[in-house]
Amino acid sequence: MASAVEPHEKQDCGHDDWHHEPFSAHHFDNAEQQFDAGKLGIWLFLITEVLFFSGLFCVYAVYRVSHPEVFEYASQYLNKYLGGLNTLVLIFSSLTMAWAVRCAQLGQRKGLITMLSITLFCAALFLGVKTFEYTEKAHKRLLWAGASVDAKDIGKAENSQVFRLGDPNDPKNFKDPNKFEERMMKSLVTIQNYGILSLLIPAVLIGIGYQRNSRPWRTTGYAGLISIFAILIGIFISIELHNMQHGGGGHGEQASAEHDGEHASGSHEGSDHDSHDEGKAHSEGEAHAASDTDSADHGHADENAAPRNANIFFSIYYFMTGLHGFHIIAGMVAITWLLVRAVESHFRPDYFGPVDYVGLYWHIVDLIWIFLFPLLYLIGS
Amino acid sequence: MQDSFFFPVPNSTFAPTVDGLFYLILGISAFFFIAIMGLMVFFMIKYRRIDGVEPESSPGHNTALELTWSIIPVLIVIGIFGWGFTGYVDMRSPPDDAYEINVTASTWAWDFRYSTGAPSKELHIPVNTPVKLIMQSQDVLHSLFVPAFRVKQDVVPGRYSGLWFQAKEPGSFDLFCAEYCGKQHSDMITKVIVHNTDPANTNLNDNPNFETWLADASDPIKDNEPLYESGKRITEILACTQCHTADGSKKVGPSFKGTFGTQQKLSNGKMITVDENYIRQSILDPTSQIRDGFKTPMPSFKGRIKDEWIDAVIAYFKHLKKE
Amino acid sequence: MATTAMPAQQESDSNSQSNYLTCSKGFKSWAFTLDHKRIGIMYLVATMSSMFLGGALALILRAEHWTPGATLPLAKIQQALASLIPSFTAVTTEALTDHDVYNQLFTLHGAIMVFLFIIPSIPAALGNFVLPIMLGAKDVAFPRMNLGSFYLWIIGFLFLITAILTTGLDTGWTFYTPYSTNTTQTSVIAATMGAFILGFSSIFTGLNFIVTIHTMRPPGMTWFRMPLFLWSLYATAIIQVLATPVLGITLLLLAAERAFGLGIFDPKLGGDPVLFQHFFWFYSHPAVYIMILPAMGIISELMSTFSRKPIFGYRFIAFSSMAIALLGFLVWGHHMFTSGQSELVTIIFSALTFSVSIPSAIKVFNWLATMYKGSISLATPMCYALSFMFLFTIGGLTGLFLGALATDIHLHDTYFIVAHFHYVMMGGTLVAFIGGLFYWWPKMTGYMYNEFWGQISALIVFVAFNLTFFPQFVMGSRGMPRRYYNYLPEFQTYHVLSTIGAFMLGFGLALAAGVLITSLFTKRKAPANPWGSATLEWQCSSPPPLANFNETPTVGDPYDMQSVVWDPETESFVNRKPEQQDE
């Protein structure tokens, strides 16, 4: 929230005095001082962002050192190809953002609008891919540590119920690997349907914009249109990529790893139920690893089984990528705001601070992902 | 051994180091404090404002002076650090032959368990013997603090923490929980009983030697005595007597005396008869049936008390009724 | 050279000309103001209200300790209060015991005082008002962000109040896991989100100050012509910007741990509760310097002004602020000597801890040297400043006992710690804050307060403070653990003394507030420069005009006391005539 609001706070200072000297706030001596102040401000803000994430990288480092086997094991459940796609998308968006700053400096209004729109599209595409990844993991029960544990098992007070997606002990949640694809697709279709439905919102905005003859409303509407559209495309691409890996026979390393996991639980299902009860709990899941804290030796005995506390990896994964995703959304809001102002021709070669500041913010968000991607997706054998 | 203005009775091998360092820092601090305050008050009077008189000019800085009062404190704190460091290293280096006691902290009680299996609610230790505590927590953070020994160590759930000390004199000392652990944090206190090691002191009622106490605590039920005597001993070993009396008066909990066989009202309004089953239930799951008028819940003794011990306690209740 | 308006002219100007208080009226003109002075005043009212709320809780705590067992029927009082608020009774299903209420009281006392009062008090209230004027700027660099930070404070305050009004909070202000994540049934999430938002409020204030000091200095205001209060605010702002994000992420992780069970801090899910302590103190130790550094800045101003002497060793003081800010990041582990962190780490932290004591010592010596050969006035602000010297020196020196490993093991988590940090936080920060408030009050409001009663309040606060907290040192070293509802009877004498002192202290602070508030009604006009300070905020009228300076001020040496002389006609200090100054 803070980051979404902050760039506005910072650069909006001048609105009172628009008519005299566009966008220069009264308390600054001159435009140069104002630009310098804004620039220093945004750099300081970026430092706080980096420190904010550095706390999480510390958590990552601490657990990576103390539980290396967890990271080695659990990271194979992340899809490198989707992660890689997202990395490329973000790097490309950084390029377009830098290009947008250049356009603003040169006073090229059309170039600026185009580049900002592409950046916005990329940001939303990233979110689309992420939506697919989260949905897939939710259906595979690859969730954070507490998601598969009853509140009272970890000594939580009764009224501080741990949030869970469904009942972890409900067998239909993960026992049937064949139906997993089906269920996941069903969820994705639902998400897509809602996405298409939500296109109404930008449509209404555009409508209002035309009716009132207001460019800012229209621009906001178009920005929303681009975003939702890109999210849908992101989901679609991810599904295609997923199907290529699984259906098309050309198994990547990743795909086979996933299949191993699924087959393991599947084969147990077919075999002796009673005697392998404990082992099954482990092999079908990572999801169960944390709940069976006292039967750790079972886990180590079985090669395929998840190491103890494997879900800590997913706790870290969800928290870090979730927070990063939140920053992407904040960035999209900021870019939309820039688009509105760019359409209004606010930016000139002698006044382009806001584009510069949001650009810097966007680069830092990309940079964080560039650290996240190898640390989460590319570890393990 | 005497307590002093700043300290309780010093009763461990660490106490001289800690107290000595404390008094050293106190001396240095007092010197600087008096010097600074003395000068301040002197300046306040000497250079008080007199209307129309402008202050004399004096230098705005003096590098030599400023360096002096930067470097002298540096040297002093290095010295203090050195002493504190050596004292700390001692505290963290238990001798190999230390006598080990397992400690389990839970909200809001301490449980001590000896190698013989003897349980205890108070920490009984032999005098002049290095003792090492191996501590674990069942729920939240706790911290074991014995002011007389000048030791403290947090007890962290999910790992063992260690603590060692060597008491110098027999006696009874306070043991506190020092890390906030919820509602009854301030009631999580018990005693450290330092026993002598004199083989002649075998009288259980008058500070026995450690071996005698341990044998007694390990097997409180003696063959050649009435069962109720054993029951009485068990209530002492498990520190029931901290909250319950045997003379009919109310303490934190109801008295042992004059309750067995009577009708009592529970906090939920129901009436029950205090019989064998009620006593057993109250020991194993105390919060299920709390008597009216008693708020503070008793910790459960489930898994910490053997069935024969409960029998003995019940016998003791019956005996008190007869008296 | 320094040619602001002539005093006589100024006097008549202030009648005809509008100042920042009178230039516009109505609720909106305050609620949407971008003026740093008005925002500072709003912060002042807000933080002072929090202080009296936290103080009232402290008095209840002290009263409870009059006897070893239960003294006040806390649970009944709580129920009676709760019944006044219908929504409250609806949520509180379970009857609380006296123990619970006590634990909530000390938690809320700590949380309110730390997050709502001490951290924002000097930088956001006094700093906001004074910083741009002292610097010679028209406003802070980002006025909208400044207002935004105030509203973030309000939102954070509302979250904390929500926590109090629903199920309370009983984790201690430190939120230690796993108690905070698993055991307690109180509103930890609402409270942590409140603290999270207050953190952002603090970050924005700090960010604003850094940018303002870097980019808004007028010509002539070089780094080494900045008053030391600005140096200390600058050092503070650096800590705010660098340390607070870590608190933010820690609190987010804590809330997620409680709501979802992340397993990062929960040993039952494979997490490590000591890791939380490291995270928490990585912020909260530097936060101690967020609290004390601005106070030191105020004292530098007061010592110099009221001794009519240039501050002794300007550069040493300026650099020691920066040194404290940087070293402050390296010593967080000294809160955890008994927590079970490794021995080596503990020893390193102990050594680093001692290093941070040196810059503080340097400052005390420099303040003392400033008084030497001065012309010392015992006006109310100076009384508080001298009181600060006494209390802060004790607070600092007792830190040595806690930095040394062997003694800290014994003293940790006892009342010795409680006394130590109250001597620093309250005897240091609060006393300096009140001193600063008395100092800048004429500038902020345009009115002079009653000097005699101001001095009396300083005396009462000083005596009562020592009576309250000195006994706590003794009971702490005798083994009284902190956060205890019941205590052993042997400690009762100390507790009774402390309680008597606390109520006297409450009276003293109320008196100080009364003296200030009364001045608003007696309306004795304040001159532009009543104290004879040479810093820029005294060059504009009292209260300052909306744009601070009607013409760009000329910047000179902030501690050149000879540049201002007493003018009996206007009862104010005025700039020495140019020809006099040039000689």
Side-chain angles (χ1 to χ4, degrees):
Chain A
M1 179 197 72
S3 49
V5 175
E6 202 272 339
H8 298 245
E9 294 285 342
K10 196 183 307 293
Q11 292 110 24
D12 248 1
C13 314
H15 282 226
D16 320 333
D17 295 324
W18 273 15
H19 305 294
H20 316 293
E21 246 176 278
F23 318 120
S24 83
H26 71 95
H27 60 283
F28 289 111
D29 292 339
N30 50 45
E32 195 191 344
Q33 191 187 31
Q34 183 175 358
F35 181 77
D36 289 347
K39 194 109 180 180
L40 181 61
I42 192 74
W43 273 111
L44 287 170
F45 179 71
L46 296 184
I47 290 174
T48 68
E49 287 288 352
V50 168
L51 282 159
F52 201 63
F53 275 95
S54 71
L56 292 177
F57 284 110
C58 280
V59 168
Y60 178 93
V62 166
Y63 283 94
R64 179 91 190 264
V65 168
S66 61
H67 302 76
E69 75 289 353
V70 163
F71 283 73
E72 186 110 334
Y73 170 81
S75 138
Q76 64 178 322
Y77 286 96
L78 300 185
N79 189 331
K80 279 172 214 174
Y81 297 101
L82 291 178
L85 172 69
N86 259 350
T87 311
L88 291 178
V89 166
L90 278 193
I91 290 175
F92 180 70
S93 79
S94 252
L95 171 73
T96 55
M97 192 72 218
W99 200 331
V101 174
R102 189 70 194 138
C103 288
Q105 284 171 340
L106 298 176
Q108 299 167 344
R109 177 170 172 271
K110 271 195 186 147
L112 175 62
I113 295 171
T114 316
M115 284 306 148
L116 287 176
S117 305
I118 296 176
T119 313
L120 187 66
F121 181 86
C122 290
L125 193 69
F126 176 92
L127 288 184
V129 176
K130 214 85 211 111
T131 308
F132 173 85
E133 287 191 76
Y134 282 172
T135 314
E136 184 200 16
K137 278 172 200 58
H139 279 284
K140 282 190 178 170
R141 313 297 303 159
L142 299 168
L143 292 169
W144 58 90
S148 49
V149 184
D150 248 321
K152 63 177 189 302
D153 290 345
I154 50 173
K156 289 235 189 208
E158 276 161 32
N159 67 350
S160 67
Q161 182 73 38
V162 177
F163 177 80
R164 284 198 256 105
L165 295 174
D167 182 354
N169 301 318
D170 183 355
K172 78 168 186 294
N173 272 333
F174 29 64
K175 273 209 176 157
D176 193 351
N178 303 320
K179 286 207 176 140
F180 147 74
E181 289 279 325
E182 205 176 292
R183 278 184 288 111
M184 182 183 81
M185 287 306 163
K186 218 171 119 192
S187 293
L188 286 170
V189 167
T190 316
I191 292 172
Q192 278 177 325
N193 286 342
Y194 278 114
I196 291 165
L197 201 66
S198 66
L199 283 171
L200 269 176
I201 301 169
V204 167
L205 285 176
I206 294 170
I208 296 175
Y210 275 107
Q211 200 209 346
R212 292 194 183 175
N213 202 13
S214 150
R215 271 195 305 198
W217 283 86
R218 278 198 323 253
T219 317
T220 315
Y222 282 120
L225 209 62
I226 293 175
S227 306
I228 296 171
F229 199 55
I231 290 176
L232 292 173
I233 293 178
I235 298 175
F236 177 75
I237 294 176
S238 313
I239 294 174
E240 288 303 306
L241 224 92
H242 177 83
N243 287 343
M244 263 164 64
Q245 282 176 344
H246 289 258
H251 284 268
E253 205 182 328
Q254 169 61 25
S256 59
E258 276 182 29
H259 277 297
D260 284 350
E262 286 160 22
H263 291 316
S265 66
S267 59
H268 275 298
E269 177 120 41
S271 68
D272 191 349
H273 276 256
D274 300 319
S275 61
H276 281 80
D277 217 31
E278 196 66 89
K280 186 152 62 76
H282 279 288
S283 50
E284 81 187 15
E286 32 325 308
H288 266 302
S291 58
D292 293 292
T293 39
D294 29 19
S295 54
D297 27 0
H298 278 273
H300 289 300
D302 188 348
E303 276 292 298
N304 275 338
R308 203 177 160 195
N309 297 326
N311 287 49
I312 290 232
F313 175 83
F314 291 103
S315 296
I316 292 172
Y317 166 79
Y318 280 109
F319 203 89
M320 293 184 96
T321 56
L323 198 66
H324 177 261
F326 179 81
H327 280 81
I328 295 270
I329 295 171
M332 285 168 64
V333 173
I335 293 169
T336 305
W337 171 70
L338 285 185
L339 261 177
V340 171
R341 293 191 66 183
V343 171
E344 296 291 299
S345 307
H346 285 178
F347 302 120
R348 301 188 316 226
D350 60 345
Y351 176 75
F352 59 91
V355 188
D356 206 12
Y357 310 147
V358 174
L360 284 170
Y361 169 79
W362 192 250
H363 294 319
I364 221 79
V365 173
D366 290 355
L367 192 64
I368 290 166
W369 178 258
I370 290 183
F371 279 96
L372 285 179
F373 174 60
L375 286 178
L376 293 171
Y377 289 76
L378 299 184
I379 52 174
S381 43
Chain B
M1 270 190 324
Q2 279 278 303
D3 61 341
S4 51
F5 181 69
F6 281 110
F7 282 108
V9 176
N11 190 29
S12 75
T13 49
F14 303 137
T17 318
V18 173
D19 296 7
L21 179 58
F22 184 95
Y23 286 118
L24 172 79
I25 303 175
L26 188 68
I28 295 171
S29 302
F31 170 77
F32 277 98
F33 181 72
I34 291 168
I36 292 169
M37 286 306 119
L39 274 175
M40 191 177 96
V41 172
F42 174 72
F43 290 164
M44 261 164 66
I45 298 164
K46 175 92 191 292
Y47 302 116
R48 69 188 178 279
R49 183 166 297 183
I50 301 162
D51 283 342
V53 179
E54 280 295 311
E56 307 167 48
S57 69
S58 59
H61 73 106
N62 181 330
T63 310
L65 185 64
E66 288 173 69
L67 283 177
T68 313
W69 68 42
S70 308
I71 290 165
I72 289 178
V74 171
L75 298 177
I76 291 172
V77 296
I78 289 175
I80 296 174
F81 166 74
W83 191 334
F85 163 74
T86 48
Y88 175 77
V89 170
D90 283 350
M91 286 182 183
R92 293 288 174 238
S93 321
D96 293 337
D97 60 343
Y99 183 82
E100 292 188 353
I101 300 170
N102 286 302
V103 182
T104 305
S106 57
T107 47
W108 296 275
W110 297 101
D111 281 294
F112 304 96
R113 202 170 264 275
Y114 294 78
S115 53
T116 59
S120 174
K121 286 290 190 178
E122 288 167 336
L123 177 58
H124 292 261
I125 56 166
V127 75
N128 284 327
T129 312
V131 172
K132 186 179 170 191
L133 304 182
I134 298 153
M135 309 190 287
Q136 57 180 318
S137 167
Q138 291 198 328
D139 33 52
V140 298
L141 295 169
H142 299 279
S143 185
L144 189 140
F145 175 34
V146 184
F149 296 168
R150 316 282 191 264
V151 291
K152 184 183 289 126
Q153 177 63 46
D154 286 9
V155 188
V156 182
R159 62 162 84 160
Y160 290 106
S161 0
L163 177 67
W164 86 278
F165 44 77
Q166 180 172 346
K168 279 172 140 178
E169 305 263 336
S172 165
F173 306 93
D174 294 319
L175 186 154
F176 297 111
C177 173
E179 183 65 68
Y180 175 64
C181 57
K183 189 175 187 167
Q184 276 168 272
H185 169 53
S186 64
D187 300 331
M188 196 169 161
I189 59 180
T190 182
K191 292 274 179 194
V192 184
I193 315 283
V194 184
H195 290 274
N196 60 58
T197 44
D198 180 1
N201 282 353
T202 51
N203 183 355
L204 278 170
N205 295 325
D206 182 32
N207 193 14
N209 69 40
F210 183 70
E211 289 302 323
T212 310
W213 174 84
L214 187 61
D216 193 47
S218 314
D219 189 11
I221 300 177
K222 301 274 184 286
D223 292 339
N224 50 358
E225 66 174 12
L227 193 55
Y228 70 81
E229 282 290 344
S230 309
K232 183 175 185 218
R233 189 173 299 115
I234 288 164
T235 62
E236 281 158 8
I237 290 168
L238 294 175
C240 309
T241 44
Q242 278 188 352
C243 302
H244 304 277
T245 65
D247 60 5
S249 61
K250 245 169 87 170
K251 229 172 158 185
V252 180
S255 174
F256 296 145
K257 194 176 177 180
T259 44
F260 192 82
T262 58
Q263 290 266 323
Q264 296 290 350
K265 198 175 161 192
L266 294 184
S267 55
N268 59 12
K270 274 198 343 213
M271 297 296 291
I272 48 99
T273 310
V274 180
D275 56 5
E276 286 89 346
N277 279 322
Y278 177 73
I279 293 170
R280 187 185 165 78
Q281 171 88 357
S282 295
I283 292 170
L284 297 179
D285 187 9
T287 48
S288 63
Q289 291 181 313
I290 298 176
R291 265 180 56 187
D292 195 31
F294 296 95
K295 265 200 215 155
T296 319
M298 180 176 125
S300 166
F301 283 79
K302 200 169 189 167
R304 298 179 201 160
I305 184 166
K306 295 175 195 154
D307 278 357
E308 313 89 89
W309 293 26
I310 298 180
D311 298 344
V313 171
I314 292 171
Y316 178 48
F317 270 65
K318 289 179 176 165
H319 172 78
L320 284 174
K321 190 191 168 197
K322 274 182 238 160
E323 253 182 11
Chain C
M1 260 159 58
T3 51
T4 40
M6 293 301 289
Q9 213 179 327
Q10 223 167 33
E11 190 65 21
S12 61
D13 277 358
S14 66
N15 292 333
S16 57
Q17 241 176 26
S18 71
N19 59 49
Y20 81 101
L21 289 169
T22 56
C23 64
S24 54
K25 285 209 158 35
F27 175 76
K28 272 191 175 174
S29 76
W30 282 85
F32 299 109
T33 183
L34 296 180
D35 178 21
H36 69 98
K37 298 183 284 301
R38 285 194 169 192
I39 294 171
I41 297 284
M42 293 197 294
Y43 257 122
L44 183 69
V45 173
T47 53
M48 288 302 278
S49 314
S50 315
M51 190 206 86
F52 278 100
L53 179 62
L57 299 178
L59 290 183
I60 303 175
L61 289 171
R62 283 314 325 163
E64 168 55 44
H65 284 315
W66 189 261
T67 60
T71 308
L72 300 173
L74 291 175
K76 286 206 180 98
I77 297 173
Q78 192 263 357
Q79 273 158 14
L81 285 176
S83 63
L84 298 176
I85 312 165
S87 66
F88 185 77
T89 35
V91 238
T92 324
T93 47
E94 211 174 314
L96 298 173
T97 63
D98 293 349
H99 282 85
D100 292 317
V101 179
Y102 175 84
N103 292 342
Q104 299 204 352
L105 283 172
F106 80 68
T107 301
L108 295 173
H109 167 68
I112 289 175
M113 285 302 198
V114 169
F115 293 118
L116 290 176
F117 173 61
I118 306 183
I119 289 177
S121 65
I122 299 183
L126 295 180
N128 240 328
F129 189 95
V130 171
L131 179 134
I133 321 185
M134 258 189 168
L135 200 64
K138 287 182 194 143
D139 207 323
V140 291
F142 309 121
R144 272 163 210 249
M145 199 162 88
N146 202 12
L147 184 68
S149 111
F150 175 71
Y151 282 110
L152 281 180
W153 186 95
I154 295 282
I155 296 170
F157 173 82
L158 290 177
F159 266 92
L160 278 184
I161 293 294
T162 313
I164 296 170
L165 290 187
T166 51
T167 50
L169 179 69
D170 70 347
T171 59
W173 78 278
T174 47
F175 302 115
Y176 271 13
T177 56
Y179 184 75
S180 59
T181 52
N182 292 21
T183 314
T184 182
Q185 308 210 0
T186 53
S187 348
V188 174
I189 293 183
T192 46
M193 285 305 97
F196 177 82
I197 291 164
L198 289 168
F200 271 93
S201 164
S202 176
I203 289 176
F204 289 156
T205 304
L207 198 157
N208 224 333
F209 285 1
I210 294 180
V211 176
T212 308
I213 288 176
H214 267 277
T215 61
M216 310 273 291
R217 278 175 289 126
M221 180 58 86
T222 58
W223 281 91
F224 289 108
R225 273 188 181 173
M226 287 202 315
L228 286 166
F229 184 50
L230 296 189
W231 271 102
S232 72
L233 283 178
Y234 182 71
T236 308
I238 288 178
I239 308 177
Q240 285 176 308
V241 168
L242 295 185
T244 319
V246 180
L247 175 77
I249 198 68
T250 310
L251 294 176
L252 270 190
L253 281 167
L254 180 73
E257 180 76 61
R258 185 170 168 84
F260 304 112
L262 276 193
I264 306 270
F265 299 138
D266 183 353
K268 292 241 166 60
L269 293 173
D272 183 2
V274 178
L275 184 66
F276 174 81
Q277 296 179 27
H278 277 291
F279 268 51
F280 183 80
W281 288 113
F282 181 82
Y283 163 75
S284 293
H285 193 76
V288 169
Y289 299 108
I290 295 180
M291 306 178 203
I292 194 65
L293 273 173
M296 293 169 159
I298 290 180
I299 298 303
S300 300
E301 299 300 321
L302 298 185
M303 280 295 168
S304 163
T305 301
F306 290 96
S307 305
R308 277 193 74 64
K309 273 277 303 294
I311 190 84
F312 186 86
Y314 174 93
R315 285 185 188 229
F316 261 68
I317 296 185
F319 287 131
S320 69
S321 289
M322 300 306 289
I324 289 173
L326 298 178
L327 290 172
F329 279 99
L330 307 175
V331 301
W332 78 87
H334 70 216
H335 294 267
M336 302 165 58
F337 285 167
T338 67
S339 73
Q341 66 185 1
S342 82
E343 272 94 46
L344 181 67
V345 170
T346 300
I347 289 161
I348 291 169
F349 276 124
S350 170
L352 289 168
T353 299
F354 281 111
S355 72
V356 87
S357 68
I358 305 300
S360 309
I362 291 174
K363 286 189 186 229
V364 172
F365 293 135
N366 277 322
W367 291 325
L368 195 62
T370 304
M371 292 171 73
Y372 175 66
K373 286 192 175 177
S375 165
I376 298 167
S377 151
L378 289 183
T380 308
M382 186 61 167
C383 291
Y384 278 101
L386 295 172
S387 168
F388 171 96
M389 286 279 282
F390 186 97
L391 303 174
F392 179 73
T393 307
I394 293 184
L397 288 170
T398 49
L400 296 177
F401 297 86
L402 303 172
L405 285 166
T407 41
D408 181 74
I409 299 293
H410 175 64
L411 299 170
H412 181 72
D413 268 337
T414 66
Y415 264 74
F416 194 93
I417 298 278
V418 177
H420 163 70
F421 70 71
H422 278 92
Y423 262 88
V424 179
M425 299 290 85
M426 193 176 182
T429 309
L430 179 68
V431 165
F433 173 70
I434 300 174
L437 192 57
F438 272 101
Y439 178 61
W440 281 302
W441 186 262
K443 183 57 65 185
M444 292 172 136
T445 61
Y447 299 120
M448 290 303 282
Y449 47 83
N450 185 307
E451 190 62 51
F452 174 75
W453 286 108
Q455 286 162 322
I456 295 287
S457 78
L459 186 68
I460 295 176
V461 168
F462 175 73
V463 172
F465 184 91
N466 285 298
L467 182 58
T468 310
F469 292 106
F470 201 83
Q472 296 189 359
F473 280 125
V474 183
M475 69 173 138
S477 66
R478 292 184 68 90
M480 167 83 207
R482 64 192 282 207
R483 296 176 169 177
Y484 261 31
Y485 168 69
N486 291 324
Y487 58 88
L488 298 179
E490 67 207 62
F491 297 113
Q492 191 176 8
T493 321
Y494 308 107
H495 274 295
V496 165
L497 284 176
S498 183
T499 303
I500 295 172
F503 278 89
M504 283 172 62
L505 187 52
F507 172 73
L509 293 174
L511 181 66
V515 169
L516 290 174
I517 291 167
T518 312
S519 77
L520 297 179
F521 297 99
T522 54
K523 292 189 185 295
R524 196 155 57 87
K525 279 222 163 0
N529 190 355
W531 315 122
S533 172
T535 46
L536 289 181
E537 80 272 25
W538 301 104
Q539 309 243 330
C540 58
S541 57
S542 300
L546 182 62
N548 295 347
F549 300 98
N550 291 327
E551 51 191 285
T552 314
T554 314
V555 182
D557 180 350
Y559 297 109
D560 180 13
M561 298 301 161
Q562 306 309 314
S563 68
V564 287
V565 287
W566 177 249
D567 175 30
E569 245 174 76
T570 54
E571 297 204 319
S572 171
F573 283 85
V574 296
N575 288 316
R576 206 180 276 269
K577 300 265 159 35
E579 62 272 15
Q580 279 174 304
Q581 211 171 34
D582 284 346
E583 68 189 342

